[in-house]
Amino acid sequence: MSRRQMVRPGGRSARVQESVHAAVRELLSEVGRDALTVPMVARRAGVTPSTVYRRWGDLRELLSDVAVERLRPETAPRDHGDLRADLTAWAEQFLDEMASPAGRAYLRDALLGDPNGGNAGRCSDYAAEQIDAVLARAADRDEDVPGLETVMDHVVAPLMYRVLFRPAGLDTAYARRLVAELPGGGGGRPMSR
């Protein structure tokens, strides 16, 4: 198990993680990524550089860990009354967050600091958990719902591809179109309102 795949720590370990993450976020906004160093982060966090190196390995892994935590959704998706509205609102918010300069930087850091793909899996899990909550809520309302993987393949994957590789012209109309063209649950037809 790598350092980043450990269960969220408690006690002193949690306090160290919290102070180091806060130091990274503050310093990124103050001095920028290019000027950031492990000793600078350690000094701001009130720990020794060896604590940072021991826990995260290097600056890239630390930035990756901070990025993954920043990409974790803080709240459950809002209920807008029906599946199409819920998925559309979620896709628009997801696009807005991921396509922002900060979102792209976090994505880049999350992926660069973990060449084995664990962070990509964690970020994918965050999206899947959010989509699953939307789908479960729609199923509770007796709506026809597509499968989780269908939504991941037809909405989340194209959004992420465009955010990472083809961001020009990317806007909320694209996110809305992906949801509108989403095959319905079981019927393979576009969802109807």
Side-chain angles (χ1 to χ4, degrees), residues 77 83 86-87 128-152 182 191:
L83 179 58
D86 287 353
L87 283 177
E129 289 168 9
Q130 294 264 298
I131 296 298
D132 198 41
V134 168
L135 296 176
R137 192 166 51 219
D140 288 345
R141 291 188 298 246
D142 292 324
E143 293 181 63
D144 187 28
V145 298
L148 172 63
E149 292 305 316
T150 299
V151 179
M152 295 297 286
L182 182 68
M191 290 188 324

Side-chain angles (χ1 to χ4, degrees), residues 1 5 7 21-22 26 43 56 72 78 86 88 95 99 106 110 114 123 126 130-131 138 156 170-171 174-175 192:
M1 183 181 284
Q5 293 173 330
V7 175
H21 279 214
E26 292 166 6
R43 195 170 30 259
W56 286 279
R72 178 191 309 266
R78 290 189 49 209
D86 287 353
T88 300
L95 176 60
Y106 287 135
D114 183 33
C123 292
Y126 297 158
Q130 294 264 298
I131 296 298
V156 180
L170 189 56
D171 59 14
Y174 178 70
S192 60

Side-chain angles (χ1 to χ4, degrees), residues 8-74:
R8 292 183 93 164
R12 182 184 184 286
S13 187
R15 288 189 301 276
V16 167
Q17 178 177 327
E18 187 177 317
S19 66
V20 169
H21 279 214
V24 168
R25 290 189 306 270
E26 292 166 6
L27 289 166
L28 282 173
S29 68
E30 292 172 17
V31 302
R33 192 177 194 283
D34 293 339
L36 192 65
T37 66
V38 168
M40 186 185 295
V41 169
R43 195 170 30 259
R44 174 70 61 96
V47 299
T48 64
S50 64
T51 298
V52 175
Y53 288 121
R54 189 171 40 254
R55 178 139 182 196
W56 286 279
D58 61 19
L59 184 59
R60 186 186 315 183
E61 288 186 43
L62 173 57
L63 289 171
S64 183
D65 190 50
V66 170
V68 169
E69 283 302 309
R70 296 299 289 178
L71 292 170
R72 178 191 309 266
E74 295 178 3

